[in-house]
């Protein structure tokens, strides 16, 4: 057992404790994969990350991302939270941007005031869900009539998201998902707020395998931003609310610049200390 620095941060909320929690273990190069997985199950957070030395000169650090159910090649709120924790403990990027190495490749992050934003990696699968059986299952999972699903698309940038667009934010907030039907699916639902509202869209993320509903989700919002802006359903810069029904104040800032999607938000430090692993 070795003492290692650990940071617990709150991601995607302007109000501390209103976003999505993340545990970041620093100096984790000597940790085995089994230990990483067991500690992630123990924290029982949606994700726990491990900071390691990069394997390529272009990267400032490398990260491994674990849910209680296993390792992910990429995830959004862990990307922002890990970068913030690395910077807070003295990390200095080689260039103007922070460059993270993870399983999907190199992910640039930029600092704008008190926010961080990551450049969304390419979608691995981006196409309409066409299989009638899967569409019916999505509707059952969300307890909606199939006609309420305006559009359904694969938005997979690692975790395997399916995006679902519904009529409005009120429909999103009123969902009562059927968890028993959802095993193996990761569904992200989006609906527009009325013009003039604080936020442009409302988002919820349903994960049948480990956390049931994720409070605020960077990877999902990255895929949604690509989808919504490609189809003209959202402007090139907008704000998504997420976590409302869970008592959170998640705010995700999405911005499209040419063909790059930037996903950003606040990251607040909450706990800093050591862990024996």
């Amino acid at each position: 057992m070795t003492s290692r620095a650990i940071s617990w941060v709150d991601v995607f909320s302007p109000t501390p404790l209103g976003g999505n929690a993340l545990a970041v273990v620093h100096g984790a190069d000597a940790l085995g994969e089994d230990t990483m997985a067991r500690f992630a199950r123990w924290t029982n957070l949606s994700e726990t990350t491990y900071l390691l030395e990069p394997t390529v000169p272009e990267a400032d650090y490398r990260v491994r991302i674990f849910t209680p159910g296993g390792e992910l090649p990429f995830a959004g709120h862990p990307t922002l939270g890990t970068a913030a924790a690395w910077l807070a403990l003295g990390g200095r990027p080689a260039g103007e941007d922070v460059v993270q190495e993870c399983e999907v490749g190199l992910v640039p992050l930029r600092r704008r005031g008190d926010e961080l934003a990551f450049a969304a990696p390419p979608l691995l699968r981006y196409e309409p869900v066409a299989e009638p059986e899967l569409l019916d299952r999505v509707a059952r999972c969300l307890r909606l009539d199939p006609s309420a699903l305006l559009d359904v698309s694969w938005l997979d940038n690692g975790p395997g998201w399916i995006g679902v667009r519904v009529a409005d934010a009120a429909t999103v907030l009123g969902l009562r998902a059927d968890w028993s039907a959802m095993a193996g699916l990761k569904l992200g639902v989006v609906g527009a707020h009325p013009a003039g509202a604080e936020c442009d869209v409302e988002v919820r993320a349903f994960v049948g395998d480990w956390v049931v509903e994720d409070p605020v989700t960077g990877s999902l919002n990255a895929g949604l931003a690509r989808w919504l802006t490609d189809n003209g359903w959202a402007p090139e810069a907008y704000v998504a609310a997420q976590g409302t029904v869970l008592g959170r104040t998640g705010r995700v800032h999405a911005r499209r610049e040419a063909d790059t999607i930037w996903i950003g938000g606040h990251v607040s430090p909450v706990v800093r200390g050591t862990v024996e692993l």
Side-chain angles (χ1 to χ4, degrees):
M1 304 286 282
T2 301
S3 292
R4 307 173 196 279
I6 188 170
S7 305
W8 290 59
V9 296
D10 184 52
V11 184
F12 281 131
S13 174
T15 305
L17 307 184
N20 201 352
L22 175 75
V24 184
V25 178
H26 300 255
D29 294 86
L31 286 180
E33 184 173 309
D34 180 65
T35 300
M36 293 181 182
R38 287 190 294 113
F39 186 63
R41 290 194 295 270
W42 184 84
T43 67
N44 203 34
L45 298 173
S46 54
E47 283 99 1
T48 298
T49 65
Y50 301 89
L51 272 163
L52 306 100
E53 290 297 317
T55 64
V56 294
E58 298 87 352
D60 293 304
Y61 62 82
R62 181 164 64 99
V63 65
R64 295 185 69 176
I65 304 166
F66 283 80
T67 74
E71 188 170 7
L72 294 178
F74 171 76
H77 105 273
T79 292
L80 295 186
T82 301
W86 180 78
L87 290 166
L89 263 65
R92 294 292 179 265
E96 183 177 353
D97 292 340
V98 176
V99 180
Q100 170 180 287
E101 179 187 355
C102 56
E103 189 175 324
V104 297
L106 300 179
V107 179
L109 297 102
R110 66 186 182 188
R111 292 171 282 182
R112 300 181 66 174
D114 57 355
E115 290 188 4
L116 279 167
F118 66 84
L123 291 172
L124 305 174
R125 187 177 185 185
Y126 182 33
E127 61 186 359
V129 173
E131 304 88 339
E133 298 84 0
L134 182 52
L135 290 169
D136 286 344
R137 186 180 172 200
V138 169
R140 290 199 311 275
C141 288
L142 299 176
R143 301 185 195 272
L144 291 174
D145 188 275
S147 64
L149 310 182
L150 302 184
D151 297 275
V152 185
S153 178
W154 287 100
L155 304 175
D156 183 12
N157 48 18
W161 292 109
I162 293 176
V164 181
R165 188 172 71 94
V166 297
D168 50 34
T171 302
V172 178
L173 292 169
L175 291 172
R176 297 296 180 264
D178 181 354
W179 310 116
S180 65
M182 200 173 292
L185 288 183
K186 298 177 179 66
L187 302 180
V189 189
V190 61
H193 279 284
E198 177 202 351
C199 298
D200 298 282
V201 298
E202 189 75 31
V203 172
R204 292 178 72 180
F206 300 108
V207 186
D209 289 335
W210 65 86
V211 294
V212 182
E213 181 168 356
D214 195 42
V216 201
T217 318
S219 61
L220 170 61
N221 276 282
L224 288 173
R226 171 68 63 186
W227 190 40
L228 295 176
T229 58
D230 275 355
N231 289 282
W233 299 325
E236 293 197 341
Y238 68 86
V239 179
Q242 191 180 347
T244 307
V245 298
L246 301 176
R248 309 293 179 94
T249 53
R251 298 293 183 269
V252 180
H253 295 256
R255 179 178 295 274
R256 182 172 189 149
E257 296 180 3
D259 202 39
T260 301
I261 300 291
W262 291 90
I263 299 296
H266 289 78
V267 181
S268 302
V270 178
V271 179
R272 185 179 298 166
T274 58
V275 59
E276 301 294 321
L277 286 176

